[in-house]
Amino acid sequence: MNSELFGVIVTFLVSVALAIPLGKYMANVYSGKKTFLDFLFNGIENFFYKLSGINAQEALSWRQNLYAFLVLNLVWFIYGFVVLNFQTSLPLNPDHIAPDALSPIAAFNTTISFLANCNIQNYTGTTQLTYFSQIFVLSFFQFVTSAAGLAIGVLIFKSVVNRSTNNLGNFYYYFVRSCTRILFPICLVVAILLMWQGVPMTFKDHGTIKTLEGVVQTVARGPVAGFLAIKQIGVNGGGWFGPNSAHPFENPTYFTNTIELISIFLIPMAFVFAFGFFVNQKKFAAMIFGVMTFGTLLLLVPSLFFESKGNTSIDKKIGVAQVHGSTEGVETRFGALSTSFWAITTTAVSNGSENGAIDSLHPITITSALLAMMINALFGGAGVGFMYYYMFIIISIFVAGLMVGRSPEFMGKKIEAKEMKIAVIVILLHPLLILVPTALTTFVYSLNTDAYQHAWFINHGYHTFTEILYAYSSSTANNGSAMGGVNYGLDYWNMTTAIVILLSRYIPIIGAVAVAGSLATKKYIPTSAGTLAVDSATFSVIVFSIMVIVAALSFFPALVLGPFAEFFTCH
Amino acid sequence: MKETAMFTRDQLKEAMKEAVIKFHPFKMLSNPVMFTVEVGSMIMLIITLLSGISAHKADVGILGPFGFNLAVTIILIATVYFANFAEAIAEAKGKAQANSLRQSREDTPAKVLNKDGSITITSSALLKKGDVFVCSAGDPIPMDGEIIEGLATVDESAITGESAPVIRQSGGDKSSVTGGTKVLSDKIKVLVTVVQGQTFLDKMIALVEGADRKKTPNEIALLILLSGFTIMFILVTLTLYFFASYAHTNIYIASYLALFVCLIPTTIGGLLSAIGIAGMNRALKSNVIAKSGKAVETTGDVDTILLDKTGTITIGNRKATNFYPVNNVDKDYLVRRSVLSSMIDDTPEGKSIIELSGMDPLTFKVDNPRFIKFTAESKSSGVDYTDADGKQISIRKGAFDAMRKICMLAGNDFPPKLEEYVNLIASNGGTPLVVAENQKALGVIELQDIIKPGIQDRFLRLRNMGVRTVMVTGDNPLTAKYIATKAGVDDYIAEAKPEDKLAYIKKEQMGGKLVAMMGDGTNDAPALAQADIGVAMNNGTQAAKEAANMVDLDNDPTKLIEIIEVGKQLLMTRGALTTFSISNDVAKYFAIVPALFLATVPSLATLNIMHLHSASTAILSAVIFNALIIPALIPLALKGVTYRPIGAVELLRRNFLIYGIGGIIVPFIGIKLIDMILTYFI
């Protein structure tokens, strides 16, 4: 158990150690400074810019940038939806996936979910998707939507630096550079490491083996290593195989498990540091990192504690002590602690991949995972995690700014009614998109309890309630992990989750960019002794408190009825 | 304006009545938080009636038992009432303050000058804009106006509390008079410049009374945040209904509403307008009339203030501090001659010379004195007379250049020692006055600016608040620099012309700074208008007063410092109570949520960390606490959170500890106590 804990700590520390230099590199990439890959990509990028007629050096307003983002997303959506619906007419289908394997509604859900960097997987990759769809839709989306999220984040960076101007930088510039100079090289390294550890990378169809019992079994495979790298690095989480990173081909060893965990943390962590380097506010970035880490630890420590104890009821009732902790739904090659560490990591960072069954985790671990998604700003998604944190800063600075007797200002820009309105809508949307669909689902369920119990769920009671809450929390946080125990492939779930994902991806981005645009145009107010320093520890405590009280507490009743009820009933 | 108690019995009575009137839904709409509570209490009223009718049924369903409903209804109505009362008492206090100012000017007889030159006596209340009235010695001035003819000494103590009479005369910067003051000598003709009911005071009263009160941008932003919370908790409460049905739990409508009202920020929502009015009241209490609530609030953000040197940083005018004789002249001789030259010099400088000498010029024997007044050309003044020996004596005192010319022209040398003294005095920030008898230099008088005692501390306090002070003076740069350093201001504008002020303000504003200034003269008007906060002196010209956002009745140039603190207090009180209100939710969640599910999920009793007696006492305790905290915090809302110039982060830490952490702890204790009391009675 101690060596397991040691593994958790080392993984985290290595992530931080890698994230700091990466953050510096990212800041250089975004601010157009010389980097070591310029020789390779300058020419390629310019070729594509010429081809598409985009002037990536042009300064764009927030509206123009947002327009670029939204149009690009629309084009991607049409492309993805069409390809998924006609995938069997396209090449690279060695496993002969049937034309009706993926219903249009499932295709819709999958397109939306990957477009939104959510990667909720209501399908099974190996039986419902062709290699072509997996590579040219899903993997492609994993690259570009992650890069688009990062580019949105950089627009926010720009709003801090720029003064009295419409200029928020150029979305295309940040987007393309994110793909070429950040995601691609890191993914290359990660993919090679994974291949070395035995992750398959082949275009051949599934293999067959004869088991010891003499049964012939098919073994799915494919170009997994490349897919896997961007799945983790791009904060996506959608796996090649149904069981995600619990599958031996997707995560064969403890070493790959560690690499994948680090890959999950890497970009969102580095992005916080990139902010510090980009706006030259390293202390502020360190404070943000501190709050995010503290929040993550607060969720992680109780989870590790309870998982290491295992299910105490088993011990009490039938006298089986669980020396290895809670091992139900846990892959033995990773262990209980690594699994719960992954569960918290994948939800704090809006990744959504899994290396075990979340459904089997301790109620406290599930509560922590839920809270991580409900706050969605503890590292969070690529670029968008920082964006949510930025919204919390706006709200916190307003309350804290008042408390020091000055009209609130962030980095010398006054926070006024307009910014407040948008920030409140963005923050409010989060509980709305989680609570309302959860309420709707319990209502629909109550209309015909027996039928829906049979069709939708494996479990019942509090646990099922937690599963419903989890499904919409994961959708809203654009996380993509799932608790299982629910028949997600059904149209009801495909449709409702797709709508939630859609709204929770685009409305906050539109809002945050609008706030960024508004702040960039503002006159800069120089700091004085009366100005609240945002890089102070006190302010960070306030941001954290606002996150807990506003985001977490509005879910208190729901959590009480779900995991808390389960926890207290068992104990 | 003395005030001992927080509010008087009359104010209390009036506020209690007003609070009932404020239940009008249209009036409530301007405050979305309290409006939802009012809607909630109306719903509860209906529910109570329905539950009363169906009281005989065994299963009460979501309607709930009558007694519980009645209790919740009463508490919710009380919550709204307390919020209304907070606003009403703040208004009542403001009115009382404004009225006592207004009283002095009501119904005084006015001598209106008719076109034909005759005089009609009417009531001041009947004066119209454009009327001309006459005031002689002993007459009260019936209305604000501008002197068009004459000069008079006026007692303005009724408004300013300053007992020394001031001179007011037509033309120039001292031509405006205020209603309620009294003419002590001479006679003036005054043109009424304001419309009845539109004087600055009237405007302020309207602001305080609420009819004219517009929400400030900051208040609007805060209301958006509070409305956001309200919507969020509507959501939490509504969805809870479905969650509860899933868990087969029956929750009374009263419990839902209680949860909702407890969670929404009623504390700050209920006190918000009281805080705003109280801010205006505090400004009024320090005898400053603000033209809008926004002006008071903006002062809290001021980065730079422009202050005139004379009267603000230094006491009135220069004072003589030393005599330096030259050419072996006896010091006493120089002093006597200086006193003689200043015998009827009624400039403050002249008076100060006599004061310093300690002599009485009337005891001097002079014949046929002829006094020469100071003119811009001669740059000197003095006296010609025949002394006891019958000798013609001519004494002059004046600026160094002018006096040197007089002496040189007469063929007398100008001693280099004297020049040494002159330079020494100038470099020490003083002004040298050369004294000569019959065109022969006797020595130098040193005039010094006297820096107001305690002004350094005030500037230090401003610096700690993050406010830069800039001294504006007509002095030469050398003198200006000396005084600036000595007084501890951050910057100065020397040899300032009115347009220099304007340019400086514009430059600061370009850099994103918020600038405040005080002024009185007509030529200050453009700068007052340009400044983000312009404070005009009440004895300033009408033009200056029109251009400013505030008028200081005391004519006290350091008043800006006080107003800045009032502005900061206003914002801080809002922030502190918002934090307190939000922090309170933690305890309320722990009181109510376990109580709601106690029947169906008994294991949740573990979450009842306060060990409240029962589900219904838990819910009632939480709503009662929520209601009672409003009146409990009224004194704080009216008084304001104290501002301390200890730096922003330190201030934040302090307020966060008191109102944030305190806001989490207090309701745990409060709810537990109320629960214990309720348990005792049930």
Side-chain angles (χ1 to χ4, degrees):
Chain A
M1 198 55 72
N2 276 339
S3 61
E4 273 192 64
L5 193 63
F6 179 72
V8 168
I9 294 166
V10 167
T11 309
F12 185 81
L13 291 181
V14 171
S15 308
V16 180
L18 289 174
I20 295 173
L22 178 61
K24 181 155 191 164
Y25 169 73
M26 285 167 84
N28 287 343
V29 166
Y30 292 131
S31 50
K33 290 195 187 125
K34 263 202 162 98
T35 53
F36 72 102
L37 288 171
D38 288 350
F39 76 96
L40 191 63
F41 290 116
N42 276 351
I44 301 174
E45 283 172 8
N46 286 336
F47 172 74
F48 280 105
Y49 284 140
K50 268 206 189 106
L51 203 69
S52 55
I54 289 167
N55 177 6
Q57 297 299 329
E58 190 186 358
L60 302 179
S61 70
W62 72 268
R63 281 172 207 277
Q64 290 168 313
N65 276 312
L66 202 54
Y67 180 77
F69 169 78
L70 292 175
V71 168
L72 216 49
N73 273 267
L74 181 68
V75 173
W76 290 336
F77 170 75
I78 296 168
Y79 159 78
F81 190 59
V82 169
V83 169
L84 287 190
N85 274 300
F86 298 99
Q87 58 171 347
T88 47
S89 318
L90 295 163
L92 283 176
N93 186 8
D95 284 336
H96 307 290
I97 304 288
D100 61 349
L102 194 72
S103 74
I105 290 180
F108 174 71
N109 180 290
T110 305
T111 314
I112 292 291
S113 153
F114 277 76
L115 188 66
N117 199 240
C118 174
N119 298 16
I120 209 162
Q121 291 177 288
N122 291 350
Y123 64 90
T124 305
T126 43
T127 56
Q128 285 177 285
L129 291 180
T130 64
Y131 285 5
F132 188 91
S133 295
Q134 292 254 44
I135 296 164
F136 292 102
V137 178
L138 303 195
S139 198
F140 169 71
F141 276 7
Q142 289 185 334
F143 257 103
V144 292
T145 61
S146 175
L150 291 173
I152 292 292
V154 183
L155 295 181
I156 293 171
F157 292 2
K158 279 297 257 189
S159 79
V160 174
V161 186
N162 286 8
R163 294 167 186 177
S164 312
T165 165
N166 254 330
N167 166 16
L168 261 195
N170 187 306
F171 172 79
Y172 297 109
Y173 183 78
Y174 306 136
F175 165 69
V176 171
R177 288 192 151 225
S178 301
C179 288
T180 55
R181 282 153 220 247
I182 295 165
L183 297 179
F184 176 75
I186 303 174
C187 285
L188 200 65
V189 174
V190 172
I192 291 169
L193 285 173
L194 292 175
M195 276 163 65
W196 167 56
Q197 283 290 308
V199 174
M201 185 72 196
T202 172
F203 282 98
K204 282 191 212 143
D205 64 349
H206 59 76
T208 46
I209 52 161
K210 203 166 183 182
T211 62
L212 285 177
E213 296 101 40
V215 182
V216 176
Q217 201 172 17
T218 55
V219 178
R221 57 186 175 183
V224 185
F227 190 95
L228 212 49
I230 186 63
K231 158 193 160 187
Q232 305 298 32
I233 289 293
V235 204
N236 293 290
W240 182 274
F241 302 101
N244 210 303
S245 286
H247 192 286
F249 280 178
E250 199 149 332
N251 193 3
T253 62
Y254 191 84
F255 181 67
T256 58
N257 193 58
T258 309
I259 290 175
E260 289 187 32
L261 272 168
I262 294 170
S263 305
I264 292 174
F265 265 130
L266 200 55
I267 293 281
M269 252 185 203
F271 201 67
V272 174
F273 292 117
F275 169 73
F277 290 113
F278 191 92
V279 305
N280 201 14
Q281 292 268 359
K282 283 168 215 126
K283 191 181 165 204
F284 186 33
M287 284 293 168
I288 298 176
F289 175 78
V291 171
M292 290 178 168
T293 306
F294 180 71
T296 309
L297 285 178
L298 221 53
L299 299 176
L300 181 62
V301 172
S303 306
L304 293 178
F305 175 78
F306 282 106
E307 292 299 340
S308 69
K309 294 255 180 266
N311 188 339
T312 46
S313 298
I314 295 179
D315 195 8
K316 247 182 261 164
K317 286 179 187 154
I318 46 177
V320 180
Q322 292 161 291
V323 280
H324 297 294
S326 173
T327 45
E328 194 205 287
V330 166
E331 296 291 308
T332 44
R333 63 187 184 282
F334 311 135
L337 292 198
S338 177
T339 307
S340 57
F341 179 48
W342 185 300
I344 302 306
T345 306
T346 198
T347 46
V349 175
S350 182
N351 182 291
S353 58
E354 299 149 21
N355 77 340
I358 295 179
D359 213 26
S360 302
L361 292 174
H362 191 280
I364 292 300
T365 313
I366 292 176
T367 305
S368 295
L370 277 167
L371 280 171
M373 294 187 290
M374 286 159 175
I375 293 171
N376 205 24
L378 304 172
F379 298 109
V384 293
F386 181 80
M387 181 189 85
Y388 273 104
Y389 195 90
Y390 177 68
M391 291 289 110
F392 278 115
I393 288 177
I394 300 282
I395 301 228
S396 313
I397 204 104
F398 187 79
V399 177
L402 284 181
M403 277 205 286
V404 300
R406 258 180 96 88
S407 303
E409 61 202 37
F410 174 55
M411 297 271 175
K413 321 279 180 71
K414 272 225 156 71
I415 306 293
E416 287 163 306
K418 185 180 166 194
E419 292 80 39
M420 234 21 226
K421 212 179 286 175
I422 300 171
V424 165
I425 290 172
V426 171
I427 299 294
L428 199 67
L429 189 74
H430 209 68
L432 179 106
L433 287 178
I434 295 174
L435 291 177
V436 171
T438 306
L440 177 77
T441 305
T442 55
F443 173 70
V444 171
Y445 173 82
S446 73
L447 293 178
N448 192 345
T449 310
D450 292 336
Y452 287 116
Q453 176 64 49
H454 179 71
W456 287 359
F457 306 122
I458 295 168
N459 305 295
H460 54 82
Y462 312 132
H463 194 73
T464 294
F465 181 78
T466 309
E467 288 166 352
I468 302 170
L469 187 66
Y470 196 100
Y472 294 109
S473 300
S474 169
S475 304
T476 304
N478 284 179
N479 181 282
S481 62
M483 258 178 89
V486 178
N487 198 348
Y488 294 112
L490 297 173
D491 290 353
Y492 174 85
W493 293 92
N494 270 329
M495 281 313 287
T496 51
T497 52
I499 292 166
V500 169
I501 292 168
L502 202 59
L503 295 175
S504 64
R505 168 75 169 181
Y506 294 101
I507 294 175
I509 285 182
I510 293 169
V513 174
V515 169
S518 167
L519 287 188
T521 53
K522 290 201 181 192
K523 212 164 68 175
Y524 174 76
I525 306 156
T527 52
S528 74
T531 315
L532 173 64
V534 286
D535 58 4
S536 62
T538 313
F539 179 68
S540 299
V541 171
I542 290 184
V543 178
F544 183 74
S545 315
I546 293 274
M547 284 203 299
V548 171
I549 293 185
V550 173
L553 272 191
S554 46
F555 298 103
F556 189 69
L559 290 173
V560 162
L561 268 187
F564 282 6
E566 197 174 342
F567 175 74
F568 288 120
T569 310
C570 294
H571 285 257
Chain B
M1 236 168 295
K2 249 186 251 162
E3 211 175 359
T4 41
M6 199 81 205
F7 22 75
T8 64
R9 185 184 280 268
D10 285 345
Q11 287 169 9
L12 210 63
K13 261 193 207 156
E14 193 196 331
M16 284 164 79
K17 243 190 341 211
E18 271 295 310
V20 177
I21 298 167
K22 283 177 189 287
F23 266 93
H24 195 293
F26 283 137
K27 291 193 180 180
M28 292 296 291
L29 263 178
S30 66
N31 186 342
V33 180
M34 293 319 292
F35 180 72
T36 55
V37 182
E38 185 168 27
V39 172
S41 56
M42 292 307 124
I43 295 173
M44 273 318 297
L45 213 54
I46 298 166
I47 298 295
T48 310
L49 287 176
L50 288 178
S51 65
I53 295 165
S54 58
H56 55 280
K57 282 186 195 161
D59 180 22
V60 289
I62 58 167
L63 265 187
F66 175 75
F68 181 65
N69 287 340
L70 188 66
V72 172
T73 310
I74 292 169
I75 300 165
L76 292 198
I77 291 173
T79 311
V80 182
Y81 182 80
F82 289 146
N84 289 348
F85 175 77
E87 188 179 305
I89 191 79
E91 284 174 3
K93 258 171 73 83
K95 267 187 243 178
Q97 259 164 12
N99 277 337
S100 74
L101 272 176
R102 184 154 58 175
Q103 235 150 39
S104 53
R105 62 170 62 187
E106 260 168 12
D107 274 339
T108 44
K111 295 187 215 162
V112 177
L113 187 71
N114 297 321
K115 291 246 164 62
D116 56 6
S118 64
I119 284 176
T120 324
I121 297 190
T122 53
S123 159
S124 63
L126 298 173
L127 284 173
K128 292 185 294 294
K129 188 177 177 177
D131 281 350
V132 176
F133 59 83
V134 181
C135 282
S136 316
D139 287 347
I141 296 174
M143 184 92 176
D144 289 8
E146 190 126 25
I147 303 176
I148 49 170
E149 202 182 304
L151 173 149
T153 47
V154 180
D155 173 12
E156 293 192 337
S157 60
I159 299 282
T160 64
E162 177 63 50
S163 56
V166 289
I167 293 176
R168 294 275 172 263
Q169 60 183 344
S170 63
D173 288 348
K174 307 276 179 204
S175 64
S176 103
V177 288
T178 315
T181 57
K182 200 168 170 185
V183 175
L184 292 180
S185 73
D186 306 286
K187 188 176 161 182
I188 45 171
K189 271 190 203 169
V190 180
L191 176 74
V192 177
T193 48
V194 288
V195 180
Q196 195 75 245
Q198 296 231 327
T199 61
F200 291 124
L201 206 50
D202 290 318
K203 282 184 197 160
M204 177 95 178
I205 291 165
L207 280 176
V208 169
E209 284 176 346
D212 257 14
R213 199 173 64 238
K214 284 201 194 79
K215 288 198 184 81
T216 65
N218 179 268
E219 241 176 325
I220 293 171
L222 181 56
L223 263 183
I224 290 171
L225 180 67
L226 299 181
S227 307
F229 282 129
T230 308
I231 297 170
M232 185 163 90
F233 291 123
I234 290 178
L235 211 73
V236 169
T237 318
L238 282 181
T239 51
L240 186 59
Y241 168 77
F242 295 98
F243 300 166
S245 337
Y246 175 88
H248 307 293
T249 307
N250 179 44
I251 298 175
Y252 307 140
I253 292 173
S255 304
Y256 283 118
L257 281 167
L259 175 69
F260 168 70
V261 170
C262 278
L263 293 182
I264 62 171
T266 46
T267 312
I268 177 68
L271 293 171
L272 190 57
S273 49
I275 295 170
I277 301 166
M280 301 281 287
N281 289 351
R282 281 199 296 278
L284 191 57
K285 206 169 145 193
S286 53
N287 272 354
V288 170
I289 297 177
K291 291 194 193 165
S292 68
K294 190 187 167 194
V296 177
E297 214 176 82
T298 315
T299 31
D301 292 345
V302 163
D303 298 297
T304 309
I305 56 178
L306 262 58
L307 295 161
D308 280 326
K309 183 198 81 178
T310 310
T312 311
I313 295 165
T314 61
I315 294 174
N317 293 286
R318 299 181 181 91
K319 281 192 162 176
T321 53
N322 237 325
F323 298 101
Y324 299 98
V326 290
N327 285 352
N328 300 322
V329 173
D330 185 41
K331 189 168 178 183
D332 194 50
Y333 187 82
L334 170 65
V335 174
R336 288 182 78 89
R337 290 296 171 264
S338 304
V339 170
L340 275 168
S341 75
S342 311
M343 265 175 81
I344 66 136
D345 182 355
D346 60 358
T347 61
E349 287 90 351
K351 284 180 186 156
S352 78
I353 291 171
I354 296 171
E355 204 176 288
L356 181 70
S357 72
M359 296 174 185
D360 184 357
L362 295 177
T363 60
F364 293 177
K365 193 174 152 26
V366 289
D367 291 330
N368 308 320
R370 203 164 59 80
F371 297 102
I372 286 87
K373 279 208 160 184
F374 178 89
T375 65
E377 292 89 62
S378 70
K379 281 187 172 172
S380 63
S381 64
V383 64
D384 292 343
Y385 68 97
T386 321
D387 73 355
D389 310 330
K391 230 166 73 185
Q392 267 304 117
I393 306 279
S394 162
I395 303 174
R396 292 287 181 278
K397 69 168 196 289
F400 168 70
D401 296 350
M403 294 306 292
R404 186 167 64 176
K405 217 162 126 194
I406 290 173
C407 295
M408 302 285 245
L409 275 178
N412 295 325
D413 68 324
F414 205 70
K417 181 77 187 161
L418 194 136
E419 221 162 315
E420 234 172 75
Y421 280 133
V422 165
N423 287 335
L424 183 77
I425 292 167
S427 66
N428 279 335
T431 311
L433 275 185
V434 177
V435 183
E437 181 180 2
N438 294 342
Q439 292 86 40
K440 268 174 77 179
L442 295 179
V444 194
I445 307 172
E446 181 178 9
L447 296 178
Q448 274 287 5
D449 272 308
I450 305 297
I451 289 168
K452 279 193 173 174
I455 198 84
Q456 286 99 333
D457 293 343
R458 302 196 95 170
F459 289 145
L460 186 69
R461 194 176 164 86
L462 279 171
R463 194 165 307 120
N464 291 338
M465 284 181 187
V467 181
R468 262 178 89 245
T469 45
V470 180
M471 180 181 85
V472 184
T473 170
D475 291 340
N476 63 58
L478 210 68
T479 314
K481 187 178 176 211
Y482 179 82
I483 296 170
T485 321
K486 215 167 149 197
V489 293
D490 299 304
D491 196 8
Y492 60 89
I493 313 173
E495 288 168 352
K497 296 180 289 296
E499 55 269 30
D500 292 340
K501 277 194 202 177
L502 189 64
Y504 196 93
I505 292 172
K506 281 187 176 161
K507 191 188 87 193
E508 289 286 294
Q509 286 174 335
M510 288 284 278
K513 291 192 175 149
L514 215 76
V515 188
M517 76 164 276
M518 291 200 90
D520 47 11
T522 300
N523 51 24
D524 278 338
L528 280 171
Q530 177 70 37
D532 301 279
I533 294 295
V535 184
M537 311 274 191
N538 193 44
N539 60 12
T541 59
Q542 199 62 31
K545 286 202 253 183
E546 290 291 346
N549 329 60
M550 293 186 210
V551 177
D552 176 23
L553 296 174
D554 292 343
N555 308 318
D556 173 7
T558 53
K559 194 59 79 58
L560 255 175
I561 301 169
E562 266 169 61
I563 315 173
I564 288 175
E565 294 200 1
V566 169
K568 285 196 179 292
Q569 264 190 326
L570 182 61
L571 295 179
M572 275 171 50
T573 313
R574 272 190 208 136
L577 289 183
T578 305
T579 309
F580 186 81
S581 203
I582 300 171
S583 308
N584 275 198
D585 278 2
V586 178
K588 292 169 188 167
Y589 268 119
F590 277 98
I592 298 184
V593 174
L596 296 179
F597 297 102
L598 218 50
T600 41
V601 195
S603 60
L604 284 179
T606 327
L607 280 178
N608 180 11
I609 50 179
M610 282 177 270
H611 297 288
L612 302 176
H613 176 70
S614 69
S616 52
T617 62
I619 292 166
L620 286 177
S621 306
V623 249
I624 290 174
F625 175 83
N626 188 57
L628 288 181
I629 198 74
I630 297 177
L633 289 174
I634 287 178
L636 181 69
L638 296 187
K639 221 169 84 239
V641 172
T642 320
Y643 178 79
R644 278 163 226 267
I646 47 176
V649 171
E650 187 54 41
L651 199 60
L652 181 64
R653 185 167 22 232
R654 228 186 128 84
N655 285 333
F656 178 72
L657 279 177
I658 300 173
Y659 300 100
I661 306 297
I664 292 176
I665 298 167
V666 167
F668 274 106
I669 300 168
I671 291 171
K672 178 68 190 167
L673 278 177
I674 297 170
D675 182 76
M676 283 160 73
I677 296 168
L678 284 181
T679 316
Y680 185 76
F681 282 110
I682 288 172

